[in-house]
Amino acid sequence: MQQQAHAAILRAAPAQDQHHFQITTDGSGTDADKRAIGSAWVLRSLALGVNQKPLHMRGASGGTHGSIQRAELNALLDGLTVLSHTLGLFTVSDLAKFCGRPVTRVEEFPPEARPLVWWVGDRETIILQMGRKPDGSTYYKRNTEPDLWYRMAWFESIFTITPVHVGRNTTAAQTDVDGCAGAVRGLFKEIISQHDKCLNSESSH
């Protein structure tokens, strides 16, 4: 079923070289203890630059608590946030300027004006929570991390996002973000470890 869904998503979308931007993401964490997560992304332009220049940006974030699902979603949201800021798409009035027509709420931003984003990830669950069937419903329900999905709704209204499932570390960009997400998670694991040591030290006195 999953392979058929991925194929249907790609059939319904423009070809990769017709997309304006590509975001490759990864998240690091474990659902066993949820004690540290790391997220990383790489953003580059495909068919559209910014100010006549190619775009190539990257970033990472993390925290001391969260699921692997949250880490993966944060990576995509972070990349989309930076892209929207880079394009100057902060507010509804920005959307109106961008498309050259009146826009009073985000739902009025015309689909043909939305930049096309080719998103590459290795977590199949989120890919199929982003991918939509012909009737507009998603292949998988968005039944966890509701706060992040509310944030995603804004970006789905201003970008056309094609979710592309690629096996872990298949591409150089994936290997890059995988290593970066793991390193960030390591930093937050160390923060937790130091915190635990302090608590143990205080309790022993």
Side-chain angles (χ1 to χ4, degrees), residues 17-173:
D17 60 6
Q18 293 180 295
H19 284 68
H20 303 118
F21 303 96
Q22 176 171 318
I23 299 177
T24 303
T25 65
D26 198 27
S28 178
T30 63
D31 288 337
D33 58 20
K34 299 182 179 179
R35 279 174 60 84
I37 57 173
S39 308
W41 53 270
V42 172
L43 164 65
R44 65 185 181 91
S45 53
L46 294 176
L48 178 69
V50 177
N51 296 326
Q52 309 302 318
K53 296 180 181 179
L55 187 66
H56 194 166
M57 307 174 75
R58 57 184 297 170
S61 62
T64 56
H65 181 80
S67 64
I68 181 63
Q69 175 90 350
R70 195 168 189 86
E72 297 274 1
L73 263 175
N74 273 332
L76 177 56
L77 286 166
D78 288 348
L80 292 170
T81 297
V82 170
L83 178 57
S84 68
H85 287 193
T86 302
L87 296 177
L89 300 178
F90 302 108
T91 65
V92 170
S93 60
D94 293 332
L95 301 181
K97 293 177 184 177
F98 190 84
C99 68
R101 67 176 71 173
V103 175
T104 59
R105 52 195 181 95
V106 66
E107 293 80 7
E108 296 175 357
F109 191 53
E112 64 271 18
R114 300 172 187 170
L116 305 179
V117 178
W118 184 267
W119 166 49
V120 176
D122 64 11
R123 188 165 179 82
E124 194 165 47
T125 300
I126 299 179
I127 296 291
L128 295 179
Q129 287 174 317
M130 287 289 293
R132 294 187 180 275
K133 303 174 185 178
D135 65 4
S137 65
T138 57
Y139 285 91
Y140 283 3
K141 293 182 179 180
R142 300 175 174 183
N143 51 9
T144 62
E145 317 299 343
D147 58 319
L148 299 187
W149 288 116
Y150 272 106
R151 284 182 60 197
M152 187 66 73
W154 166 264
F155 294 115
E156 288 182 304
S157 297
I158 66 173
F159 297 121
T160 296
I161 305 167
T162 300
V164 183
H165 180 255
V166 179
R168 183 182 181 189
N169 293 354
T170 300
T171 69

